[in-house]
Each structure stands twice: as C-alpha cells, then as structure tokens.
Amino acid sequence: MIEPSHRQRMLVLAICCMSLLIVSLDNTVLNVALPSMSRELHASVAGLQWTIDAYTLVLASLLMLAGSTADRIGRRKVFVAGLVAFTLGSLLCSLAPSLEWLIVFRMVQAVGGAMLNPVAMSIITNTFTDPGERARAIGVWGAVAGVSMAAGPLVGGLLVDTVGWRSIFLVNLPIGVAALALTLRHIPESRAARPRRPDPVGQLLVIALLGSLTYGIIEGPAEGWRSPLILGCGLVAVASLVGLVRYERRREEPLIDLRFFRSAPFSGANVIAVSAFAGLAGFLFLNTLYLQDVRGLSALEAGLYMLPMAVLTTLFAPLSGRLVASRGPRICLLIAGVAMGGSGLMFALFEAETSTPLLFTGYVLYGLGFGMVNAPVTNTAVSGMPRSQAGLAAAIASTSRQTGSTLGVAVIGSVLAAGLADGSGFSSAAQPAWWIIAVSGLLVLVVGAATSGSWARATAERTARTLEPAGPPAETGAPRA
C-alpha cells in the first residue's frame, strides 16, 4: 500500500477534526442557550437535562457499535453516513416546535455523531503509523476536543444573543457539508482485516444499562428516589450490567472486549475519561445557569465570563499532545488532576462563584486541567492495541467520555433540582454538586498516578500480546509503516 504523503495525512487529520468539532461543540454551545430555551419552550431543570443527555446517552450507547461496524463494512462509508445524519439532525433541531421534538431531533443528531468520533480516531490511527507522529496527531485531536468543549459557551452566547438559540444548530450545517465533500474526495476507504461480528445482545444490554441509569438519576428528584419507577430503573441497570459482563465474557467476538481492561493504562484512561467529562459537563451546566439566572448576565456575557477557561484549554491541549509524545501521559494526568480538583475545591469550600476574582481563578484552573487531560486519555486508549481493533478501542474511550458527560449532567442537575425543590438558594443547592465536581478532578489525579507507572505499562504490554491476532496484521486499505 502506498504511504500517504505528509500533505495527505494532514488533510485527513483536518477532516477528522472538523467532524470532532461539530460533535463536541454541539453540547457545550447548547449549555449557554439553556435559559433561553427554558423560557421559550417552558422547560424544567429535568427538561433541560434531557436536551443534553438525550444526545450524550444515544451517543454513548452507539459508539462501540459504530466503531466495530466501520471496521467491518468500511470506515469511510460509516463516516459519510454519520456526517449526513448529524447535519440533517442539526437542521431538524433548529426547526423543533417543542421541547419534546427537540429531544427527539437531538437523538437523531446523536446517531450521526456516534458514527463520527470513533471512526475518525480509527482513520487517524491507521493513517499516522509512526508512534510519535500519531501521538502528535492525537494531540491536535485533543486540542480540537478541548477547544470545542471550552469555547462552546462563548460561541453559544454570541449566537443566542445575536440570532437566537436555534442558530446554535444551524452553525453545524456549513461545517458538516464541507466535511462531507472533503471526505468523499480525499479519504480512502479502509476496513479491518479481521472485523468483529455484530453483537446485538451486547448492544441492547448497553442501551438498557445507560438508559435506565440516566433516566433514574434525572427523574429521581421529581418521582421520588423510592418510587417503583426509579427503583425499577436501578434494578434494570444492575441486571443489565451483570448480564453484559457475563454475556461478553462467553462471546468469541464481543461488542466490548473485556480483555482490553486487563491493561491498567487502558482501564485507567477510561475511568479518567468518565471522571473528567462528568466534571466538565457538570461544571458547564452549573455555571451557565448561575451566571444567567442568578447573576442576570446575558448569554454572551456568560460566555465571555467563561472565556478564560476556553483560552487555557486552547493553550494547553496541544502542549499536552507534545508532552505525551515526548514524556508519556503521566505528567499531563497529574497536572490535570491537581488543576481540575483544585478548581472544584475552590467552589466547594470558598463559594468561588460569589467572588469574581475567585470565579475567574476557578475557570483558569479548570481550563488548564481539562486542556491537559484529553490527549493522554486518547493516546493511552489506542496505543498498544492491534490496528485491526483500533475502531473498537477508540469507541470504548469515546463511550467513556460520553457516558461521563451524560452522568455529569444527570447527577449535577438532579442534585441542583433537589436542593432548589427544598427551597434552598442557588449557592446552597449547588454546594453538594461542587463537591462532586471536585472529587471527579481528584479522581483524575489518583487514577492517573496509579495507572501510568512501570507496573501499569507492563500490564499493557501483556494485554497487547494476548490481543495480537495470529497471522499477518494487514489492514484493508490502511497505510503501512
């Protein structure tokens, strides 16, 4: 297979980053529009949670299916289908006549988004075959993810105040169309030499697990934590998890290859992804409501307030990629954990939201920490895995991110709703939520330290040997080193 030129590799990276931009930006842009949407669509806190979690829940549920399907039928085919579905879903969201229809159309968006992120990472992994070059490419990928996550409030605030909240979905259309045209022209088809067979039972169990868990957490404050509906959701979640583990262990080609988790760095990367993205999602959800509903700022002003967070993430995300390429993931994870955990503690212990200097300091710290965390998580998840399973490994990491975002909004929103229902003011109601965000950051620190040393690397090497397929590891349509 002809090795692609540097220009071709950079073009492939740019196209993949465009897809990541619209998928990641969509949720954070939406956060700053929540108060405007609440007024126009008469949405409760739970309704606002569902506008975010309907998207992340479907995304998390389908990412692994999309990754394995792309490895089997062709990565470009699935990537193109994802761009079409996401762009169409964005158009429908901009036209939604009610909250219920908006939630449905967000799910359409998510179906498309599920076909983009893991497939794009698989394309990158199979295009950049040199480990150092791949780490730098993943650093760029992480920078785009970080920038889109952190800059979303500013972009969303500008759009909401100048055009209206529906414009936050229309902005996806030109990017989606451009990415589609470039994909058809410049990205070659590729697929795994030994793709996995479909696993419908495993897929249904994943959907049941995430769906019942999220529904129970979001609706718990309104229904009552001891109500039959919420207790039933808990039982379904536990049964689905037990059934998933037992079923996948016996399956020859499972949806989730549990052998991956014998690697301490891989397991740690996924725990960190859940923790970091849960913290970020909760952080943005709390802050956008506080700045607009309590401080009375406009959507644009709220976005400008969070600009320090966006700037620090923008600056440190590419630095993180270079550090991972040259020094490994440990330093980045330790810095990320200290910064994110420290920011959460400022809000939990000192009510930083009530003091503008402390508020900005908290934003700076959180932006720095989040900028450092994405590249080591992504690189650790795919490094050492056979290229034939790149799509699945990337999909599991992406699923962890989206699961974290889903749980972050569900848990933080429910804690806030419960406090407000008891008659507490916003700051008092949000106090337990800030502690959760602080713990999520400190978990990044602890898990990062535990899974990035020599012992952890040895487990990764042993796992890689057990996963390596017999015979030549050729990839259909994949460039060779």
Side-chain angles (χ1 to χ4, degrees), residues 31-118:
N31 265 284
V32 80
L34 292 177
S36 297
M37 292 167 54
S38 176
R39 290 189 291 269
E40 182 175 330
L41 301 178
H42 310 291
S44 63
V45 172
L48 297 179
Q49 287 173 273
W50 277 119
T51 61
I52 296 175
D53 274 0
Y55 177 83
T56 56
L57 178 60
V58 172
L59 205 61
S61 298
L62 298 181
L63 281 168
M64 285 178 287
L65 174 64
S68 59
T69 301
D71 283 346
R72 184 170 58 255
I73 70 172
R75 293 167 183 133
R76 192 177 81 152
K77 287 188 183 73
V78 173
F79 194 70
V80 166
L83 286 170
V84 171
F86 187 88
T87 304
L88 176 61
S90 297
L91 177 61
L92 292 173
C93 285
S94 72
L95 303 173
S98 65
L99 178 67
E100 292 74 18
W101 277 112
L102 177 61
I103 292 172
V104 170
F105 295 149
R106 288 279 288 163
M107 295 171 75
V108 174
Q109 267 190 310
V111 171
M115 302 181 199
L116 296 178
N117 277 13

Side-chain angles (χ1 to χ4, degrees), residues 156-177:
L158 180 63
L159 291 172
V160 169
D161 277 0
T162 56
V163 184
W165 67 264
R166 296 179 186 274
S167 64
I168 64 176
F169 300 108
L170 291 174
V171 75
N172 295 327
L173 303 187
I175 301 175
V177 171

Side-chain angles (χ1 to χ4, degrees), residues 25 28-29 32 148-160 299-308 310-311:
L25 190 65
T28 51
V29 166
V32 80
S148 61
M149 294 292 283
L154 178 61
V155 176
L158 180 63
L159 291 172
V160 169
L300 177 58
E301 289 170 334
L304 289 172
Y305 258 64
M306 285 188 274
L307 183 60
V311 170

Side-chain angles (χ1 to χ4, degrees), residues 285-379:
F285 189 83
L286 277 182
N287 274 284
T288 190
L289 293 178
Y290 172 78
L291 291 174
Q292 294 184 64
D293 289 348
V294 179
R295 286 209 173 190
L297 302 179
S298 68
L300 177 58
E301 289 170 334
L304 289 172
Y305 258 64
M306 285 188 274
L307 183 60
M309 181 177 170
V311 170
L312 267 293
T313 300
T314 303
L315 292 175
F316 280 89
L319 173 62
S320 174
R322 291 194 292 271
L323 278 174
V324 170
S326 61
R327 303 287 297 275
R330 187 178 183 86
I331 294 175
C332 295
L333 293 175
L334 296 182
I335 294 173
V338 170
M340 296 172 75
S343 174
L345 287 174
M346 287 182 62
F347 288 92
L349 290 174
F350 305 112
E351 297 186 355
E353 72 274 14
T354 61
S355 166
T356 299
L358 287 180
L359 182 73
F360 284 129
T361 303
Y363 289 165
V364 166
L365 281 176
Y366 212 89
L368 187 159
F370 188 74
M372 296 296 285
V373 80
N374 214 28
V377 165
T378 304
N379 190 70

Side-chain angles (χ1 to χ4, degrees), residues 212-275:
S212 58
L213 182 62
T214 304
Y215 186 91
I217 294 173
I218 290 179
E219 299 297 334
E223 296 288 338
W225 295 108
R226 297 182 180 179
S227 68
L229 177 61
I230 302 305
L231 291 176
C233 287
L235 289 174
V236 171
V238 172
S240 299
L241 177 59
V242 173
L244 181 67
V245 172
R246 295 186 65 180
Y247 178 78
E248 297 295 275
R249 272 181 169 175
R250 296 196 304 267
R251 187 173 170 82
E252 184 178 346
E253 293 184 351
L255 177 70
I256 306 174
D257 194 332
L258 299 179
R259 294 178 300 169
F260 285 5
F261 293 94
R262 296 174 186 171
S263 165
F266 181 85
S267 298
N270 283 278
V271 171
I272 291 167
V274 171
S275 300

